């Protein structure tokens, strides 16, 4: 579960406490490296803490194993653990990854946008389609790209001899067969992105429930 | 591999849909189970808090509710088990159906092949083949006997004996010439031996200067 790392919070690289890291480097080549280091940091952090969505300030909006049913509960868990952890990890949850209070530095919004743009072009992030609040920009962080996830799913299905079986999305996320898999508790939107890759490859077909919502898939 | 067209994508039949519906129900039960477990956990925590505050009656009612939830939870678990069994049964029946289909298909092909192989035709065919073989044997016998009659056999024997005698006589001088041939044949070998020896000596000679 998401609690498995809580004893050991994510270890930030040394550069995170290096003030110039939070200033846009004027030299093009240095800047390119800086950008790559930021991207690596974001991906490492999100993979470690299983962060699915970041907002434009770099605050994790969806983290750990996502259960549609208990989204409120998990967010409560997050709040309670922030008070317990008095470290960078807790700061990230409150203020975002782009702020480091320890050295009183924060990254310029323009550069943050450039980082997200770079993440999107490399396929490691995508916009969240937010109907309720169109102004708030949030991003799925693909520390595994949808294509990576689809390969993981396909390998898992083949190894379990479940080829040709019908799965509900909930079953894939929380089924007994999925326990211990990397995709256990995956964000439903990201799961859908991964399954769409399989559909495009002709390896899967979607099933809809009574309300017409896509809720299942047959993978072969 | 990756070039599969959309037409080869998995098809969804009525059984898939039925299993899908069952699984959706199971998901709902599982979600309910999770929710209830969470509820019971928080309620027991509240009971403890109430007891600490000394509100025994409130704690008791809460405990009652919690117990009721627990019985519901057990029901839910049983239902999940039932659904699971049903899903497995359906899946197994599908496999059995496939098995029967395969069996009947195999049976059909076998019957079709058997129909082509009529028993009467086969016995007739085998009889005919046997007749033909006998006929062939007769012909063979006739051919081996008819031309070479008994009159020739004595003549053949005489000729054979004469040839044998001739061969024995001819054998003696041949043995002598054979010895001569041997002695003649030895000399070239010796010559070649000598040349070989010379070559060997040459080969032995060449490394010596290098060693010195």
């Amino acid at each position: 579960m998401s609690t498995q790392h809580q004893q050991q919070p994510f270890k930030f690289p040394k550069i995170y406490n290096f003030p110039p890291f939070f200033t846009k480097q004027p030299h093009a080549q240095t800047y390119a490296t800086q950008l790559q280091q930021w991207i690596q940091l974001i991906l490492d952090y999100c993979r470690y803490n299983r962060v699915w969505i970041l907002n434009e300030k770099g605050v994790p909006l969806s983290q750990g194993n996502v259960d549609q049913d208990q989204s409120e509960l998990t967010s409560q868990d997050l709040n309670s653990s922030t008070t317990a952890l008095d470290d960078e990890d807790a700061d990230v949850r409150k203020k975002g990854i782009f702020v480091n209070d320890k050295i009183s530095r924060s990254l310029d919004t323009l550069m943050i946008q450039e980082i997200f743009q770079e993440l999107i072009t490399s396929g490691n992030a995508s916009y969240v389609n937010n109907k309720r609040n169109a102004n708030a920009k949030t991003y799925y962080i693909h520390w595994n790209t949808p294509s990576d996830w689809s390969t993981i799913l396909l390998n898992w299905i083949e190894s379990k001899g479940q080829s040709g079986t019908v799965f509900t999305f909930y079953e894939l996320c929380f089924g007994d067969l999925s326990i211990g898999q990397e995709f256990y508790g995956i964000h439903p939107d990201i799961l859908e992105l991964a399954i769409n890759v399989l559909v495009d490859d002709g390896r899967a077909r979607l099933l809809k429930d009574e309300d017409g919502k896509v809720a299942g898939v047959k993978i072969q | 591999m990756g070039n599969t067209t959309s037409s080869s994508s998995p098809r969804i039949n009525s059984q898939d849909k039925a299993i899908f519906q069952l699984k959706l129900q199971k998901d709902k039960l599982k979600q309910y189970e999770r929710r209830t477990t969470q509820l019971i956990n928080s309620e027991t925590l509240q009971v403890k808090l109430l007891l600490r505050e000394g509100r025994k009656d409130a704690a008791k009612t809460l405990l009652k509710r919690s117990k009721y939830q627990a019985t519901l939870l057990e029901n839910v678990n049983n239902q999940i088990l039932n659904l699971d069994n049903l899903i497995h049964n359906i899946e197994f029946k599908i496999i059995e159906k496939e098995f029967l289909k395969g069996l009947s298909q195999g049976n059909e092909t076998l019957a079709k092949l058997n129909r082509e192989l009529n028993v009467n035709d086969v016995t007739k065919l085998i009889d005919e083949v046997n007749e033909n073989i006998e006929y062939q044997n007769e012909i063979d016998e006739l051919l081996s006997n008819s031309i070479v009659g008994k009159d020739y056999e004595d003549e053949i024997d005489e000729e054979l004996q004469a040839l044998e005698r001739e061969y024995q006589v001819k054998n003696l001088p041949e043995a002598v010439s054979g010895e001569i041939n041997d002695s003649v044949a030895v000399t070239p070998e010796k010559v070649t031996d000598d040349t070989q020896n010379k070559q060997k000596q040459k080969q032995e000679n060449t490394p010596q200067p290098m060693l010195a």
Side-chain angles (χ1 to χ4, degrees):
Chain A
M1 293 291 245
S2 62
T3 51
Q4 69 187 179
H5 291 315
Q6 274 185 4
Q7 281 79 24
Q8 280 183 319
F10 178 71
K11 211 167 172 267
F12 280 88
K14 270 180 192 157
I15 200 162
Y16 194 66
N17 290 321
F18 182 54
F21 190 48
F22 289 83
T23 313
K24 184 174 173 172
Q25 294 304 305
H27 191 270
Q29 220 167 343
T30 325
Y31 175 61
T33 328
Q34 190 191 12
L35 208 59
Q36 280 313 310
Q37 275 168 330
W38 266 109
I39 283 169
Q40 200 53 49
L41 171 66
I42 290 168
L43 291 178
D44 286 347
Y45 177 82
C46 291
R47 183 187 292 275
Y48 192 84
N49 287 309
R50 296 177 68 81
V51 173
W52 310 107
I53 297 173
L54 283 181
N55 72 1
E56 58 194 331
K57 286 178 185 160
V59 179
L61 294 186
S62 177
Q63 179 175 357
N65 294 340
V66 184
D67 192 337
Q68 295 117 305
D69 238 25
Q70 299 174 337
S71 47
E72 284 174 42
L73 263 173
T74 37
S75 63
Q76 271 174 14
D77 282 350
L78 284 183
N79 287 335
S80 62
S81 54
T82 37
T83 48
L85 294 164
D86 190 28
D87 56 67
E88 292 155 324
D89 219 26
D91 284 344
V92 169
R93 286 198 192 119
K94 268 189 242 162
K95 295 178 182 170
I97 197 166
F98 303 116
V99 177
N100 189 351
D101 273 351
K102 212 168 162 186
I103 55 166
S104 337
R105 286 289 189 283
S106 64
L107 203 61
D108 172 50
T109 20
L110 215 74
M111 183 160 174
I112 293 174
Q113 276 170 13
E114 280 173 355
I115 289 172
F116 276 123
Q117 208 52 56
E118 193 64 27
L119 275 167
I120 286 169
T121 43
S122 67
N124 291 109
S126 59
Y127 286 114
V128 176
N129 231 338
N130 205 334
K131 284 163 196 158
R132 263 173 281 170
N133 195 350
N135 289 330
K137 269 190 191 157
T138 49
Y139 305 87
Y140 296 117
I141 304 301
H142 304 305
W143 33 277
N144 278 350
T145 65
S147 159
D148 292 339
W149 282 119
S150 75
T151 318
I152 292 169
L153 276 173
L154 215 57
N155 286 341
W156 170 74
I157 279 165
E158 267 159 24
S159 73
K160 296 277 176 188
Q162 295 287 331
S163 180
T165 324
V166 176
F167 286 103
T168 64
F169 284 2
Y170 183 82
E171 196 186 0
L172 285 174
C173 291
F174 294 107
D176 295 338
L177 270 175
S178 315
I179 290 173
Q181 297 297 319
E182 200 180 359
F183 56 81
Y184 188 86
I186 187 174
H187 192 283
D189 294 352
I190 292 172
L191 178 68
E192 211 172 317
L193 287 174
I195 282 172
N196 282 336
V197 173
L198 291 178
V199 171
D200 289 344
D201 285 351
R203 297 297 302 264
R205 186 158 285 195
L206 300 172
L207 282 142
K208 286 176 182 169
D209 63 5
E210 298 109 323
D211 306 331
K213 201 182 140 216
V214 174
V217 67
K218 183 179 183 179
I219 304 175
Q220 219 156 28
Chain B
M1 290 277 270
N3 250 346
T4 42
T5 48
S6 56
S7 59
S8 69
S9 72
R11 283 214 192 114
I12 284 154
N13 51 32
S14 55
Q15 285 130 3
D16 287 339
K17 275 181 191 158
I19 289 176
F20 174 59
Q21 288 301 328
L22 286 175
K23 282 192 168 177
L24 279 179
Q25 298 311 316
K26 191 182 138 192
D27 287 353
K28 276 179 192 158
L29 285 175
K30 275 212 154 172
Q31 280 164 339
Y32 182 79
E33 185 211 332
R34 274 165 173 258
R35 219 163 39 213
T36 322
T37 326
Q38 289 277 347
L39 203 66
I40 290 172
N41 284 345
S42 68
E43 272 175 358
T44 42
L45 215 92
Q46 273 182 333
V47 167
K48 275 179 197 163
L49 281 175
L50 283 172
L51 280 178
R52 206 177 293 164
E53 287 170 20
R55 294 166 63 189
K56 221 174 170 183
D57 288 343
K60 203 176 170 185
T61 43
L62 203 60
L63 206 62
K64 246 186 212 168
R65 230 178 76 180
S66 175
K67 269 276 180 307
Y68 174 67
Q69 302 276 12
T71 51
L72 276 185
L73 193 65
E74 213 184 305
N75 286 344
V76 166
N77 277 328
N78 283 335
Q79 280 171 9
I80 289 175
L81 211 68
N82 279 339
L83 275 181
D84 251 348
N85 282 341
L86 198 59
I87 289 166
H88 282 303
N89 279 338
I90 289 176
E91 276 174 349
F92 190 62
K93 272 282 171 301
I94 289 169
I95 291 166
E96 278 186 331
K97 198 186 126 200
E98 294 284 311
F99 165 75
L100 264 179
K101 206 168 138 193
L103 209 62
S104 73
Q105 263 178 0
N107 185 39
E108 235 172 72
T109 5
L110 199 62
K112 203 173 153 194
L113 286 170
N114 278 340
R115 243 177 281 136
E116 281 167 26
L117 290 171
N118 196 316
V119 180
N120 288 334
D121 285 353
V122 172
T123 41
K124 218 195 262 174
L125 199 70
I126 286 176
D127 281 348
E128 254 173 60
V129 169
N130 278 336
E131 268 171 42
N132 278 333
I133 289 171
E134 266 171 48
Y135 185 69
Q136 174 73 39
N137 283 343
E138 255 174 68
I139 289 174
D140 280 351
E141 247 174 82
L142 283 173
L143 282 178
S144 56
N145 284 340
S146 62
I147 298 171
V148 189
K150 272 199 171 176
D151 310 344
Y152 292 98
E153 255 172 48
D154 288 344
E155 267 179 52
I156 288 170
D157 281 343
E158 264 175 43
E159 206 172 322
L160 195 69
Q161 276 172 359
L163 277 170
E164 262 179 340
R165 251 176 277 131
E166 210 178 322
Y167 182 71
Q168 276 170 350
V169 174
K170 270 186 184 171
N171 241 359
L172 284 171
E174 264 180 30
V176 175
S177 71
E179 271 179 18
I180 293 161
N181 278 342
D182 276 354
S183 62
V184 173
V186 168
T187 39
E189 276 176 35
K190 271 184 181 172
V191 173
T192 49
D193 271 357
D194 285 346
T195 50
Q196 273 172 351
N197 282 339
K198 274 176 192 170
Q199 276 173 343
K200 270 182 192 170
Q201 276 173 351
K202 269 183 191 171
Q203 276 170 349
E204 280 168 5
N205 280 340
T206 39
Q208 275 172 353
M210 288 179 82
L211 282 168

